[in-house]
Amino acid sequence: MTSLLWLQTGACGGDTMALLCADSPSVEQLATDYGIELLWHPSLSAQPAGHLDRVLRRIFDGELALDILCVEGSIMTGPNGSGMYDPYGDRSKMSLVRELADQAGFVAAMGTCAAFGGVHAAPPNPTDCLGLQYDGQAPGGLLPPEWRSGRGLPVINVAGCPAHPNAMTKTLAMLASGLPLELDALNRPKAFFSSLVHQGCTRNEYHEYDVEDTEFGERGCLFFNLGCRGPSTLAVCNTELWNGSNSKTRAGVPCFGCTSPDFPRSHDLFRTEKIGAIPLDLPLDVQRAGYMAYKSLAHEAAPQRVLDKAMEP
Ligand code: SF4
Ligand code: SF4
């Protein structure tokens, strides 16, 4: 069996809601097929709250091994570094998480808040929130950059707001199965953070020929005007569909770049920031010089069916 404890800190509960939608594997399959024993989850455990006290005592007394600690939400360090904006009994969740992390085989940050600070750490950040091992894009959050869990990994950042359901459950299944988990430069599992949201988007041909929407509810690409960050965001949203059926861009909503450490950005999420006519953020690794020339050539070459937006997105 692999023991798992899930704590919520400065969280909206969105990652738990997403977790319930996982289908490959599902939450139930984590227990039945991967031997994960849930010691505690604030929403899913049937036991009364006193049960968590007993579990914690047994972990700290060395009677119960903690294989995986999952944290959902950012760490509130205020006021004045006490962490008491988010208490657990007479102590802070900040200190509880720090102590538990040192007992755990693996620590997983579920969602961008736990990974990087996310929504709750957005300016003016009145509760002094940060991530478990990152403060935005800067290494070092609650735990220093060099910190490693009992099994030798940094905090595993399953980023997203919320995190992708199957990215969460597959990460847990891999850990429980003893499979190696390769991480990227931001400590996100490479298996789920190596391809762009743009890949697999059904609006791709519109993007290719620079056929862009200016209003929502159309069929074109959302990159130039409506804020889509799919070409610079690493996530599986369009290759492993949510609930097996949909994604933001398929539903006509721009990708907000929620798996990145700079999420949420301060500007309007539904509008593309531009320098002159050119988007501030170009597709990953694309050079600014020549981009517009390429785009206008592509538009000139667009077939009529694309210009007419005749294809279903
Ligand atoms: S990452 Fe998003 S979904 Fe998760 S706790 Fe933060 S705001 Fe909620
Ligand atoms: S809507 Fe976004 S993800 Fe889809 S093709 Fe356009 S830029 Fe790419």
Side-chain angles (χ1 to χ4, degrees), residues 10-15 72-73 110-114 119-120 160-163:
C12 72
D15 303 287
E72 175 182 7
M110 295 305 198
T112 292
C113 285
V119 168
H120 303 93
C161 189

Side-chain angles (χ1 to χ4, degrees), residues 290-304:
Y291 183 67
M292 283 311 288
Y294 153 70
K295 274 295 183 188
S296 53
L297 279 175
H299 192 83
E300 288 305 312
Q304 197 58 44

Side-chain angles (χ1 to χ4, degrees), residues 34 64 69 83 126 137 181 188-189 196-198 204 225 251 262 293 298:
Y34 294 94
L64 185 60
L69 171 67
Q137 304 184 64
L181 197 67
R188 299 174 299 191
L196 296 167
V197 171
H198 186 61
N204 245 313
N225 303 302
D262 63 353

Side-chain angles (χ1 to χ4, degrees), residues 197-198 201 203-204 207 220-223 228-231 238 249 255:
V197 171
H198 186 61
C201 177
R203 295 167 189 261
N204 245 313
H207 181 88
C221 176
L222 310 167
F223 177 68
C228 188
R229 299 195 67 205
N238 271 317
T249 57
C255 165

Side-chain angles (χ1 to χ4, degrees), residues 11-268:
C12 72
D15 303 287
T16 288
M17 292 296 290
L19 184 74
L20 295 175
C21 303
D23 53 15
S24 176
S26 67
V27 176
E28 295 85 348
Q29 286 170 326
L30 287 180
T32 57
D33 298 2
Y34 294 94
I36 290 183
E37 180 195 4
L38 195 58
L39 299 177
W40 172 260
H41 184 292
S43 306
L44 306 180
S45 292
Q47 300 94 332
H51 176 74
L52 176 58
D53 288 336
R54 288 189 288 281
V55 167
L56 293 175
R57 203 171 312 122
R58 290 182 62 209
I59 292 171
F60 292 137
D61 287 348
E63 294 170 11
L64 185 60
L66 176 57
D67 295 315
I68 304 174
L69 171 67
C70 294
V71 178
E72 175 182 7
S74 41
I75 305 297
M76 294 189 193
T77 67
N80 305 316
S82 68
M84 288 305 283
Y85 279 139
D86 188 16
Y88 178 77
D90 58 2
R91 68 182 299 184
S92 66
K93 289 236 190 96
M94 176 183 78
S95 71
L96 179 63
V97 169
R98 191 189 279 131
E99 199 176 340
L100 281 170
D102 284 336
Q103 303 279 327
F106 299 106
V107 177
M110 295 305 198
T112 292
C113 285
F116 306 120
V119 168
H120 303 93
N125 192 3
T127 50
D128 296 332
C129 280
L130 38 68
L132 275 172
Q133 209 173 5
Y134 274 86
D135 185 2
Q137 304 184 64
L142 174 69
L143 303 167
E146 63 280 5
W147 179 91
R148 294 293 179 270
S149 65
R151 301 286 294 275
L153 287 186
V155 173
I156 300 159
N157 289 327
V158 190
C161 189
H164 191 289
N166 293 349
M168 286 191 279
T169 55
K170 281 189 168 128
T171 297
L172 295 175
M174 288 172 78
L175 294 177
S177 305
L179 295 173
L181 197 67
E182 222 184 317
L183 304 179
D184 72 1
L186 294 165
N187 295 338
R188 299 174 299 191
K190 279 189 180 175
F192 318 111
F193 295 92
S194 294
S195 62
L196 296 167
V197 171
H198 186 61
Q199 289 169 246
C201 177
T202 48
R203 295 167 189 261
N204 245 313
E205 200 177 16
Y206 294 113
H207 181 88
E208 199 177 315
Y209 288 112
D210 191 25
V211 174
E212 299 281 336
D213 284 347
T214 53
E215 301 287 335
F216 288 107
E218 299 281 331
R219 294 175 170 178
C221 176
L222 310 167
F223 177 68
F224 255 76
N225 303 302
L226 299 177
C228 188
R229 299 195 67 205
S232 56
T233 301
L234 294 164
V236 290
C237 297
N238 271 317
T239 48
E240 183 142 359
L241 298 178
W242 289 63
N243 297 320
S245 65
N246 215 339
S247 71
K248 272 207 182 85
T249 57
R250 285 171 195 231
V253 178
C255 165
F256 296 147
C258 73
T259 59
S260 303
D262 63 353
F263 176 80
R265 310 235 302 202
S266 54
H267 74 280
D268 182 348

